[in-house]
Amino acid sequence: MTMSIGRVILAPRERQVVEGLADGSTLATVARNLKIREVTAAGYLRLGKRKLHGVSENAAALAVGYATQAITRPELLDPEGLDLSREQRNLVPLIARGMTTAQMVPELKQPVQIIRRYGRELQQSLRAKNWAHVVTRAWQYQVLTADHVIASLRGPQC
């Protein structure tokens, strides 16, 4: 059964800026591609994040955007050839929640250096440029789903 939290509607520019981050682009690159100033793009991103359940990190904005269909979901890829370790898979929902490596330490009960190593390995395995791109690639390979994101938004009572 698929959980739901309702659809989020972003203004066109908010949507364009958030979607522009999906391929691992920096905000400066997104702004340049949209032919707007970086400070303007930052403003649209801030407004979009507020609508996307008040998330603060770009990775979380993409995760919530995909889950709520506020942004275009990426094309799904066959997960058959994807070989992620359990440790790498455990990072995905935390990245999607916008957690930093330091914030993951108590959750995973692992030293920060180990979590960083798993994070680098995850990025390499998914061929991702940054955490936001990890979210997109994890979504494409169905390692991250709307149900995962919605459950994290609802909190531990689920």
Side-chain angles (χ1 to χ4, degrees):
M1 180 173 77
T2 301
M3 295 184 270
S4 177
I5 56 171
R7 188 152 182 192
V8 173
I9 307 294
L10 297 177
R13 277 294 196 199
E14 294 165 353
R15 180 184 178 130
Q16 289 172 330
V17 170
V18 174
E19 285 180 341
L21 300 170
D23 67 357
S25 293
T26 64
L27 187 59
T29 301
V30 172
R32 189 171 48 254
N33 291 343
L34 294 174
K35 296 178 177 35
I36 59 177
R37 295 180 340 163
E38 187 174 351
V39 68
T40 304
Y44 286 126
L45 181 58
R46 192 170 40 259
L47 290 170
K49 286 177 178 178
R50 193 174 305 141
K51 291 179 183 178
L52 293 165
H53 294 270
V55 299
S56 59
E57 299 299 318
N58 294 349
L62 284 165
V64 175
Y66 294 145
T68 61
Q69 298 181 32
I71 60 175
T72 305
R73 291 178 172 177
E75 179 182 333
L76 297 181
L77 301 172
D78 184 4
E80 185 65 32
L82 186 64
D83 186 28
L84 298 180
S85 68
R86 179 179 50 82
E87 294 83 5
Q88 291 172 350
R89 286 180 183 276
N90 288 343
L91 289 182
V92 172
L94 304 180
I95 293 167
R97 285 172 34 198
M99 293 178 81
T100 65
T101 306
Q103 291 169 325
M104 294 177 192
V105 169
E107 186 99 13
L108 297 174
K109 297 174 181 52
Q110 294 280 338
V112 72
Q113 302 91 325
I114 299 296
I115 294 172
R116 283 188 182 132
R117 187 181 86 218
Y118 294 150
R120 284 190 303 274
E121 291 169 356
L122 175 64
Q123 272 188 254
Q124 289 170 349
S125 295
L126 292 174
R127 295 177 314 280
K129 298 174 188 173
N130 54 34
W131 279 157
H133 199 203
V134 163
V135 166
T136 298
R137 301 292 289 166
W139 189 278
Q140 289 180 298
Y141 283 111
Q142 301 152 66
V143 176
L144 180 66
T145 66
D147 285 347
H148 294 131
V149 176
I150 292 166
S152 73
L153 288 174
R154 289 199 169 145
Q157 69 270 16
C158 287

